[in-house]
Structure formats: structure tokens, C-alpha cells
Amino acid sequence: MSGLEQWNWSLDGWIIAAGILCAVSSALLGNFLVLRKMSMLGDAITHAILPGLAAAFFLSDSRSSIPMFAGAVLAGILTALFTEWIRSFGKVDEGASMGVVFTSLFALGLVMIVQAADHVDLDPGCVLYGAIELTPLDTILISGWEIPRVVVVLSVVLLVNLLFVVLFLKELKLSSFDPALATTTGFNATLIHYTLMTLVAVTAVASFETVGNILVVAMFVVPPAAAYMLTDRLVRMIVLSVILAIIAAVLGHISAMTVPRWFGFQSTSTAGMMAVAAGLLFIIAALFAPRHGIIVVFVRRQILAWKILAEDIIALMYRIEERDPQLKPDAAYLREILFSSPLPTDWSLHFLARHGQVIDSNGTYELTETGRDRARQLVRSHRLWEHYLVEHAGMSAENIHKQAEQLEHFTDRQLREKLNKDTLDTDQDPHGRPIPPEDERG
Amino acid sequence: MRPFFLVFLLASFVPQSLVIAENNAREIQSQQSITNRSITMPTWSDWKRVLFLQDYNTRIVILGTTLLGMSAGMVGSFALLRKRALMGDALSHATLPGIAIAFIVATTLGLDGKSLPVLLVGAALSGLMGIATILLIRNLTRLKEDAALGIVLSVFFGAGIALLGIVQQMETGHAAGLESFIYGKTASMVASDAWLIGSAGMTCMLISILLFKELTLLCFDEGFADSRGFPVVFLDMMLMGLVVVVTIIGLQAVGLILMISLLVIPPAAARFWTEKMVNMTIVAIVLGALSSMIGSAMSAIFPNLPSGAMIVLVSTAMFLFSMVFGIPRGILIRKLRRHELNTKINRQHLLRGIYEYLEARGLLNEKQKLESMQVPIDAVFQMRSWSRPKLKKIIKRAQLEQLVELVHENQMQLTEAGLKEAIRLVHEHRLWELYLITYADVAPSKVDQDADAIEHVLEPEVISELESLLIQQTSEGVLQSPHTIDIDRNKTNSQNPHARRLR
């Protein structure tokens, strides 16, 4: 019951080809939408295409693809223009102006379409259907080969997008990251912006008949967003987004055929499953990305927190020794002063004991030689920082503790020496406590 | 399998294609020509029927949508100010899989899958999941809000489409009732729908009113609210919850795509009419109610106009009107104010120019007659970068205000009032210059420009404060200029590009 036994290369091959072409051409442009924080503009444009289609239909009085294509693209560009216009002249927040523009255009299109209701004769080959499954049925003859029309159209769009991205990579990069600089260095960021918008509209219209409008948004936003989680380099991000888009398309079609069968149904919408597959890829990337992934970031933070807690513990023990050498603190005592929870404290103490920095003698703890060395350096960092903050940052003695507390964990020997040099030569911190020497004997 | 696809896919894809597909089916039945279709003009009885709410159904529809418009206007105001305008969009798309799953689960359990409460619960749950996902993506990853919205919106909607594909295959199948969520079915609203919208909408409004102060603070200064001990996270959740409820009750009425417009457009329009939160909310409620009322009334009168879309278009018209004519934030009033300010600045520059010319030539003497203080227009022209026609205009205006008189073609002189005004202006300019030199460490050679930028908007209180600050210097009438006044600027630098061109 896998569903794949119905696989038929002449049908499914073309469907997957169309899916891949659509996903890749969208993802190429989507990188810049995501980087420019304009992901929702893709959504707005795909919604607002409707009146363009309707108007083209009314004007040309035909359902041939070319006027409709032109009308839709024009409407898409107008969306970008209107949004910008309302934002700048009306001083309305960008999201709101987008919301106003695309819902209005969509409603207008709906009214126009309903007016045409009884005579709109749009066959499945027309630009409106988001039915990727129909791809193989509507073919045109190119030098003896029967190739689905959609595949031809999308190939052209992909080629144009690819050329645009490759030729204007530098300009796109600059105008995405720093439009002001882009303008001052002499090329027109606005021109790049509207070219990008035009291509977004073209891609949306072309993909519209394949995957439907919301799912174009999925292809615009999701693969690039996943790629953005994986890398910091633009070129790598673009390549990754293309690869992810291809995987999403293939996976989407296969799962559309197979997954419903697990529950006793027949296959479902490929376009929908493409979006779902892209979503899954995004979740995987967001969780497991090596540098920016949620898990890695979480673990990194946790480890840092534990490291800081361990350092706090030995620094505290050093201070206790300083005041009262007879006092042997136990875990509860340390916890109380550090406001930490039981489990991390125990872990940290255990960790410190294993690394020979403290000695656990029946529940009370004592610093070892190495532990004391490290603790002294920490306390020295802390007090040097306090000193420095009062002297150079003009902070009052009451406020410096917290700041120094944060800085001490990131201060190495070199920085301590520099701090020592930059502050007045004194062996007392602003609270009157002695600044311990770098080495026991020194 | 393939032919099967052909049938159900047409009905289950994008909303647009849905309409077209439906129409397409209708088209096959009635082959009408393209020309014989137009909006049929309603008769007087149609008008009467709608305007006086004689029709029971019209009454229900108008009441329902109006209540919806009001609650959306109120909740939307907060959402807009919190820059969450597009959240409603993502949210309404995210409800689709919930609706489909609710239908599947209910049908499998042998319940009525199309019962409204079941579907609404499904919609609410998946809508909330969508919002939670947006917040998770925004807070845990390096992606920004827009990408989070885009991802949730499209992936959830994709899942919904895929699930609808399955729903179509169920025996109790054809999701005929389900697609009304995508489109809305305003015209076929029944009393119970109106009651549901009314009670849920009023509850939302009541909650917003009770939490008005807290929500306002949340929108304008989250950090302050937090430091004041307000439960910011709870309030945010509350606001999102309100958006969810309003969106979901609206799905039925105006449909998934257009619901967002009710949340966004009236509050955005209200923003042009007021600076105050309370007023903005009230205006948004009124605009929301009006556009719903007018929109659904129009669709009742003209049967060919879909009500959801009409409501949106009416509110768009109101938005455009507000954007242009709104006071105090509309485009026109801002243009007008800017124009007034520019006029004022030009007049002040003219008077100060004349004064400085006279002063530099030693022509200034209060005992002397005004006639002896004549100034050639050319001299003033060279002092600033204004074009000749513009200067003519400025002089003409000053003439009308009786500040300046033209002696002959190229010679003007101040009037009594003009001299007085000029003295005041120069005094204020130099006062400000002095302040900048004394207190802001601005170099005397640069101070003229700096003072220029701000002197026009000085309030009288500021002037008197400056005077008291700089009292020792202001004992005599007009202050001495702290820098040399170069009345013939374009000899040393090209201050006036027009002047150079004229030579």
C-alpha cells in the first residue's frame, strides 16, 4: 500500500519537474525577500494578482495567457508600489500598509471576477489553477517533443531568475544589506528593488498555475529561511535554498502519493505536501543547524551557564576562606548565597570535584590548590574590573558589582594585566577588599 | 486516480481558483455571451427593502457583519499599534488544517463534521498553534517576524490544502461546507451565526475595554509596562487570544482572506484622525461598523456584488479618504502645514535679509525715516539660494501682509510693521546663535546655519527663557551679530546657484 506502484515516469516525472522548477525559481528570489525582511510582500503580491487577471480578461476579452500574464504582473508591481506609497506618504507601518493594499486589491479582483462569473470560461490550462497534477495533460510540441506547457514557462522563468541573481549578485547583496550605502556607491537600489518585485510577480504568476498562490509563498520563504539558519554566507545560502527547494518538491510529490495511503485514503494535493515538506525541512534546519540551530544555541547557553555557576562557586569559596578560614561551606550554604537551584549546584560541585578543584569531605567543600589558583584569578579579575569601572567609566562604587560579576568570567590573564596597567597601582578594590595577586607568590 | 484528481483538485486549491472553478462549472451549464452581463439596477422596492431592513435575512446579515466590524475595529487597533497587523493574515491561514482535522475527527467519531462549533474549535486550536509557532520562530531563531509569518502562513495553509484533499475522499465527503471558511458565506448567514458573532464579538470588546489601559501601555511602551509590574506576557497572550477569536468568528462571515482587512483597514484609517488611543479605538469601531453596514447593504441591493469583498472595498474607500483628508495626520493637512511653515520661513528670511543688509550698510537708524532705508531686491536675492520667481513671490506675499513696500521695480523698503517684525526676528536669531555659542559650543562661523534650522519654530516661552539665560548680553535693543554678516555671499562662495547662472 505504498502508492508508489502507481508511479509513472511520464506523468509523475513531469509533475516533479514542474514542482522543482517552480520551487527553485521562487527560492532563488526568496533569499532576498527573507534578507530584506519582505517575506510577506510575496504573500501580498500573490493575493493582489487577482484584479490584474480580471482586468486583463475584461480588456482583452479573451482567455489567452499572455494578456493575463501581463495584467497579473502589473498588478503585482502595483502592490509593491502602493504599499511603499502608503507607507511613505501616509506614514503607516509597513505591515499595515501591505495589509490594506493586498486585501483591497484581492476584494476588487473578487468583485470583478464575480461580475464576469457567468462567462468566465477558464480551462485548466489557464493561469488560474493551482493544479500541479494537471501538468502532463497540457502539452505543447517543441521540436517533436511533447513538453508540458507549464514546464516550458517555468523553465523560462527559472532561467530569467537565475540570470538576474547571477548577474546582479553584488548589487542585490549590497542593496539587501545596506541600501543607503548601495545608493551612495552609485547604483540604484530602488531600481534593483522594483526589478526584484517584478520578477517576484512574474514568478508568482507563473507558479500560480502550478502550486497555487499561498504555496508560492511557501516556496518563496521557507527554503531560504531554512538555508539562512544553516549559513552566514550569501552564496552558500542561495545554493542551499535551491537544494532544499528541490528536496521539498520531490519529497512533496512522493509524500502526496504515499502518506494518505497509510490511513487508507488516496493520494492528496502535491502542492500542499510540497509546502508541508518544506516546513519539515525548515524545522529540521531550525533545530539542528550547526551554528544557529535552536538546539546548538540552547546547549551552548546551558554549558556557559554551568561554567559560570562553577566559577561562581569557587570564587565564593575563595571569598569565604578570605573572611573565615575555619568555615567549611556545604552545598546548601553555597546555594543560598548564589540563589541557584539544587540540581545545577550539585552538578557543578560534582564537576569541580572531579576536576580536582574542590574536595568533597562528607558534604562540606574545600578548595584544592588548583581550585584556589583559579578562584584567585577570578576574584582578581572581579576586583580589577571594579577598580577599572570606577576609575574609567565613572560608575559609583555601589553599581559596579553586577557589571564586574558579568565581566569576570570573560577575562583572561592578558586582559587582567592590561587592567592592572590601566588602573592606578593599588592592591585594594573600591570596596576596600584586597586585590589578590596573579600568582600565589607574586 | 488521475481523473479523480481532476475533479476534486479544481475545488480545493487556491481560493481564487475555487471561485473560478465553481463559476466554471456554472458556465458549462449556461453558455452566456460576454456582453449581456452587467450589474442590474435595483428597483425602488429593492432599495426600500434593504434600507429599512424589511427583509429578515438582510437584517441578520447587516447586524452580524456590523457587530463583527466593531469588534474587529477595536481588537485591530491594538494589533495595529503593536505592529501585528499581518498576524491576522497568518492566523486566518493557519486555521485551515484545524478545520480539516476537526472535520475528519468528528466524522470518524460519527459526529456531524460540519457542525459549526466543532469546526470553530478546530480552527481556534490550529490558529493558536500557528501563533505559538510564529512566536517560537521569532524568539528562538535568527529569523525575523516577517519570515516567521510567511513560514507559518504558507506551511499551515499547505497542510490544510493537503488535508482537504483527503476530506474530499471521505464518504460523508465533499467539503462543500468547509470552503465557506475560505470565502465566507455572508449572504447565507442565519440568526444563530449572527448571535454567535454578536456574543463573541461583544465579549472581546468588553475584555478590551476592561484591559484598555494595560493593553494601551503594552502597545506603546512594553518595556515601561514590564517595569511597572504589568503582566506583559499575559497581556500579549490576551491580545493574541482576542485576535484569534475575532478572526475565527469572522472567517464564517467574510472569509479567510478578507478577514484580515477588517482587522487592519479600519484601525489604519482611524490612525489618520487622532493621536489618542481612546479616540482611535472609537473611530476604528465606527469605521468598522460603517463599512460592514454599507458593504453588506450594497451587496444586498446589488445581488451581483459579493458582500465580503464589498465590505473590504468600502473600508478601503474610507481608508483612502482618511489618508488624504484626515486631521491631524492626513496627507493634505500635513502638506498644508508644511506649506505654511515654509511660507513663514521665507517671510522671516526676507525680513532678516533686509535688516542685515541695512545694518551692514549702516543705514539703520531708528530716527531716520523708512524711506531712507531702501534695499535693492538684487542684494537680498544674493543672500539666499532662492530662485528669482520665488523671491518675487515671497516679496509679493510680504507686500500683501504689509511688511514690505516696493518703491520701484528693483527697490523695496520695510513698512513700520515690517521693521518691527524684522527687529524681533533678528533679535531672536541672534539670541539663539548666542545660546548655541555659549551653551552648545558651536563655532561662531557655523552658528548662523544651525540657528537658521531651528529659529522658525521657537516658542515664545523659549525666547523669554533664552533672554533670561543670556540676560547680560541682551540689555540693549537688538543683539549684535556674533559673526560677520556677509551680505554679498556669492562673492566668496556660491551660495546662490541661481545668482551665478544669471551673470
Side-chain angles (χ1 to χ4, degrees):
Chain A
M1 274 308 270
S2 76
L4 284 181
E5 64 268 19
Q6 299 197 17
W7 186 274
N8 176 344
W9 272 110
S10 68
L11 291 177
D12 296 295
W14 282 127
I15 292 173
I16 284 198
I20 289 175
L21 287 171
C22 160
V24 172
S25 35
S26 307
L28 273 177
L29 302 179
N31 286 296
F32 303 101
L33 292 182
V34 168
L35 287 176
R36 288 159 171 244
K37 304 188 182 62
M38 295 191 317
S39 311
M40 290 301 279
L41 203 54
D43 176 45
I45 286 179
T46 51
H47 276 102
I49 284 171
L50 196 55
L53 290 171
F57 180 78
F58 280 128
L59 289 178
S60 69
D61 202 2
S62 78
R63 54 194 168 79
S64 76
S65 293
I66 296 198
M68 290 221 161
F69 204 91
V73 170
L74 198 66
I77 299 166
L78 282 180
T79 315
L81 267 176
F82 284 153
T83 303
E84 179 58 25
W85 190 72
I86 290 184
R87 193 186 63 77
S88 60
F89 287 107
K91 302 225 182 299
V92 179
D93 150 55
E94 171 133 27
S97 65
M98 211 183 279
V100 172
V101 171
F102 85 80
T103 53
S104 305
L105 284 176
F106 184 76
L108 185 68
L110 215 54
V111 170
M112 289 165 85
I113 292 277
V114 171
Q115 286 317 301
D118 292 336
H119 57 74
V120 175
D121 176 22
L122 301 167
D123 64 327
C126 174
V127 270
L128 274 169
Y129 292 154
I132 197 170
E133 287 79 2
L134 304 181
T135 302
L137 301 183
D138 178 26
T139 55
I140 50 174
L141 230 61
I142 293 180
S143 63
W145 292 73
E146 269 202 16
I147 297 174
R149 198 181 48 80
V150 176
V151 171
V152 178
V153 173
L154 283 172
S155 305
V156 174
V157 171
L158 175 61
L159 202 66
V160 172
N161 288 354
L162 198 63
L163 275 177
F164 173 68
V165 170
V166 170
L167 290 179
F168 295 99
L169 187 65
K170 209 179 76 196
E171 284 82 356
L172 277 167
K173 192 175 179 178
L174 198 55
S175 62
S176 296
F177 290 108
D178 195 342
L181 178 67
T183 309
T184 52
T185 44
F187 68 85
N188 199 335
T190 321
L191 185 69
I192 290 278
H193 174 83
Y194 283 106
T195 317
L196 182 63
M197 289 303 110
T198 310
L199 287 180
V200 165
V202 168
T203 313
V205 180
S207 314
F208 199 47
E209 51 181 322
T210 327
V211 292
N213 70 345
I214 300 301
L215 307 169
V216 185
V217 179
M219 291 303 121
F220 272 131
V221 181
V222 186
Y228 185 58
M229 295 299 299
L230 294 171
T231 176
D232 290 329
R233 318 265 318 225
L234 179 63
V235 176
R236 250 179 243 169
M237 176 176 163
I238 295 172
V239 173
L240 276 174
S241 73
V242 167
I243 294 171
L244 289 171
I246 294 173
I247 297 176
V250 176
L251 209 62
H253 185 59
I254 292 175
S255 57
M257 292 183 79
T258 56
V259 174
R261 284 176 187 268
W262 303 343
F263 305 98
F265 294 101
Q266 289 187 300
S267 53
T268 183
S269 147
T270 292
M273 290 310 284
M274 272 169 70
V276 175
L280 286 178
L281 291 176
F282 172 77
I283 291 174
I284 293 170
L287 284 178
F288 302 108
R291 281 197 54 199
H292 302 287
I294 294 170
I295 289 177
V296 170
V297 170
F298 179 77
V299 168
R300 217 187 291 140
R301 272 194 204 144
Q302 221 27 259
I303 287 174
L304 184 67
W306 284 332
K307 193 185 143 222
I308 286 178
L309 181 61
E311 291 191 348
D312 280 344
I313 288 174
I314 54 170
L316 176 64
M317 286 170 74
Y318 181 87
R319 289 190 175 98
I320 292 171
E321 266 186 12
E322 207 177 41
R323 284 182 207 207
D324 180 3
Q326 300 312 312
L327 181 62
K328 298 275 177 278
D330 59 1
Y333 182 81
L334 293 168
R335 222 166 50 218
E336 200 179 313
I337 299 179
L338 290 170
F339 298 115
S340 64
S341 346
L343 205 56
T345 317
D346 289 345
W347 282 346
S348 300
L349 280 168
H350 188 69
F351 174 85
L352 287 169
R354 269 193 53 183
H355 284 74
Q357 299 187 357
V358 296
I359 296 169
D360 178 356
S361 48
N362 295 330
T364 60
Y365 294 90
E366 212 177 327
L367 285 170
T368 64
E369 230 14 76
T370 33
R372 195 169 293 113
D373 261 357
R374 222 176 123 216
R376 189 174 53 253
Q377 284 165 11
L378 281 164
V379 173
R380 178 174 161 83
S381 304
H382 181 91
R383 292 182 181 159
L384 278 172
W385 267 117
E386 287 192 332
H387 201 58
Y388 183 85
L389 288 172
V390 168
E391 234 174 69
H392 290 269
M395 295 174 78
S396 71
E398 295 94 66
N399 305 330
I400 51 178
H401 182 76
K402 222 173 159 188
Q403 194 103 31
E405 188 74 44
Q406 286 167 6
L407 291 167
E408 69 183 33
H409 300 288
F410 306 99
T411 308
D412 58 4
R413 187 182 184 128
Q414 221 180 342
L415 186 56
R416 273 196 298 276
E417 269 160 22
K418 198 168 150 37
L419 281 173
N420 194 28
K421 247 189 7 219
D422 287 353
T423 49
L424 294 171
D425 194 22
T426 167
D427 44 13
Q428 283 198 341
D429 76 355
H431 303 293
R433 301 224 136 252
I435 295 176
E438 186 70 42
D439 298 307
E440 183 69 335
R441 282 160 209 89
Chain B
M1 177 190 138
R2 294 295 150 193
F4 186 69
F5 257 119
L6 283 175
V7 179
F8 80 77
L9 275 169
L10 300 188
S12 67
F13 269 94
V14 265
Q16 286 93 322
S17 60
L18 232 166
V19 162
I20 310 281
E22 263 175 28
N23 297 332
N24 198 19
R26 226 181 297 161
E27 156 69 11
I28 296 162
Q29 290 158 9
S30 62
Q31 292 282 340
Q32 282 186 325
S33 101
I34 193 163
T35 41
N36 70 353
R37 200 78 187 119
S38 63
I39 299 174
T40 36
M41 275 318 280
T43 59
W44 165 238
S45 69
D46 286 337
W47 283 100
K48 214 168 64 182
R49 186 170 50 77
V50 172
L51 288 183
F52 297 102
L53 298 175
Q54 286 172 341
D55 195 348
Y56 173 75
N57 192 42
T58 316
R59 235 173 7 227
I60 297 268
V61 169
I62 292 185
L63 180 74
T65 51
T66 305
L67 289 173
L68 180 68
M70 288 172 72
S71 42
M74 176 138 206
V75 174
S77 298
F78 294 112
L80 182 87
L81 288 176
R82 194 132 172 72
K83 299 210 180 351
R84 293 271 168 80
L86 290 178
M87 196 70 113
D89 189 28
L91 169 65
S92 53
H93 284 95
T95 55
L96 195 59
I99 293 168
I101 290 177
F103 180 85
I104 294 173
V105 170
T107 315
T108 320
L109 294 177
L111 301 168
D112 175 17
K114 280 181 199 159
S115 85
L116 193 57
V118 171
L119 297 181
L120 286 186
V121 167
L125 286 179
S126 85
L128 284 173
M129 251 181 79
I131 286 191
T133 315
I134 291 172
L135 294 179
L136 282 178
I137 293 177
R138 206 187 51 188
N139 293 338
L140 294 183
T141 74
R142 61 208 293 241
L143 290 161
K144 300 291 179 298
E145 174 114 4
D146 66 301
L149 288 173
I151 291 168
V152 167
L153 177 150
S154 56
V155 173
F156 272 68
F157 195 78
I161 296 281
L163 285 167
L164 277 187
I166 288 173
V167 167
Q168 301 280 357
Q169 303 170 28
M170 300 185 71
E171 275 166 30
T172 41
H174 44 275
L178 298 187
E179 84 230 11
S180 72
F181 278 97
I182 300 180
Y183 269 111
K185 45 160 193 172
T186 325
S188 58
M189 197 185 280
V190 292
S192 65
D193 296 338
W195 276 113
L196 181 72
I197 291 174
S199 48
M202 287 308 110
T203 314
C204 285
M205 287 183 73
L206 197 70
I207 294 174
S208 320
I209 291 169
L210 287 176
L211 293 175
F212 198 88
K213 203 180 73 188
E214 287 82 359
L215 287 176
T216 309
L217 204 52
L218 179 75
C219 293
F220 283 103
D221 197 341
E222 193 181 345
F224 179 72
D226 201 12
S227 69
R228 271 296 155 107
F230 285 99
V232 170
V233 176
F234 167 76
L235 286 172
D236 212 17
M237 298 298 276
M238 203 67 209
L239 180 55
M240 284 298 105
L242 292 174
V243 174
V244 171
V245 172
V246 171
T247 306
I248 283 166
I249 55 173
L251 285 181
Q252 270 272 303
V254 291
L256 186 150
I257 314 287
L258 302 178
M259 186 51 223
I260 181 204
S261 68
L262 272 184
L263 277 169
V264 174
I265 303 181
R271 193 84 182 89
F272 291 111
W273 293 103
T274 172
E275 306 271 5
K276 277 207 181 117
M277 186 65 206
V278 184
N279 299 349
M280 177 183 159
T281 323
I282 294 171
V283 177
I285 291 173
V286 171
L287 288 181
L290 274 181
S291 39
S292 303
M293 237 186 273
I294 299 173
S296 36
M298 277 174 82
S299 116
I301 295 172
F302 303 95
N304 258 342
L305 300 178
S307 34
M310 282 322 289
I311 293 173
V312 178
L313 289 183
V314 171
S315 63
T316 307
M318 289 181 175
F319 174 84
L320 289 178
F321 180 84
S322 308
M323 184 166 99
V324 177
F325 298 105
I327 298 168
R329 292 171 60 103
I331 292 178
L332 269 190
I333 194 85
R334 284 210 317 266
K335 278 251 150 65
L336 200 69
R337 247 188 256 131
R338 171 152 290 258
H339 180 74
E340 263 170 21
L341 182 66
N342 281 339
T343 315
K344 183 177 149 198
I345 290 174
N346 283 331
R347 184 182 64 222
Q348 297 189 348
H349 281 163
L350 177 71
L351 291 177
R352 194 152 63 83
I354 295 174
Y355 184 93
E356 283 173 355
Y357 174 87
L358 294 171
E359 187 186 47
R361 297 284 146 96
L363 293 170
L364 210 58
N365 185 342
E366 271 181 68
K367 276 147 220 155
Q368 272 182 318
K369 287 182 180 167
L370 288 165
E371 286 80 63
S372 66
M373 304 187 198
Q374 291 188 353
V375 179
I377 288 178
D378 279 341
V380 180
F381 173 69
Q382 280 159 12
M383 295 175 82
R384 287 195 174 268
S385 59
W386 38 37
S387 66
R388 206 165 268 277
K390 193 175 168 199
L391 179 61
K392 283 257 161 68
K393 232 178 175 171
I394 295 168
I395 293 173
K396 194 156 259 165
R397 187 175 276 272
Q399 267 180 290
L400 283 174
E401 286 165 352
Q402 304 200 319
L403 297 167
V404 163
E405 281 170 5
L406 267 190
V407 185
H408 64 87
E409 209 184 313
N410 195 24
Q411 208 76 357
M412 59 184 168
Q413 68 181 46
L414 290 166
T415 64
E416 199 94 39
L419 182 64
K420 224 168 149 186
E421 176 72 0
I423 288 174
R424 185 183 72 83
L425 289 171
V426 172
H427 176 70
E428 281 175 17
H429 175 73
R430 291 184 184 162
L431 202 56
W432 188 245
E433 283 183 335
L434 208 58
Y435 175 79
L436 288 178
I437 291 171
T438 323
Y439 290 94
D441 275 343
V442 177
S445 56
K446 268 195 68 196
V447 78
D448 192 27
Q449 290 158 22
D450 285 13
D452 238 21
I454 200 157
E455 66 188 56
H456 309 288
V457 288
L458 288 182
E459 305 278 326
E461 305 91 77
V462 182
I463 297 292
S464 58
E465 198 173 319
L466 286 178
E467 272 173 347
S468 61
L469 256 175
L470 304 159
I471 192 74
Q472 64 273 34
Q473 287 102 328
T474 57
S475 42
E476 76 267 27
V478 179
L479 280 170
Q480 290 301 305
S481 179
H483 55 89
T484 51
I485 294 169
D486 187 2
I487 54 161
D488 227 8
R489 278 178 211 187
N490 61 327
K491 272 183 185 162
T492 46
N493 59 29
S494 50
Q495 264 270 315
N496 190 344
H498 303 285
R500 187 194 268 173
R501 213 183 308 137
L502 286 171
R503 286 199 179 160

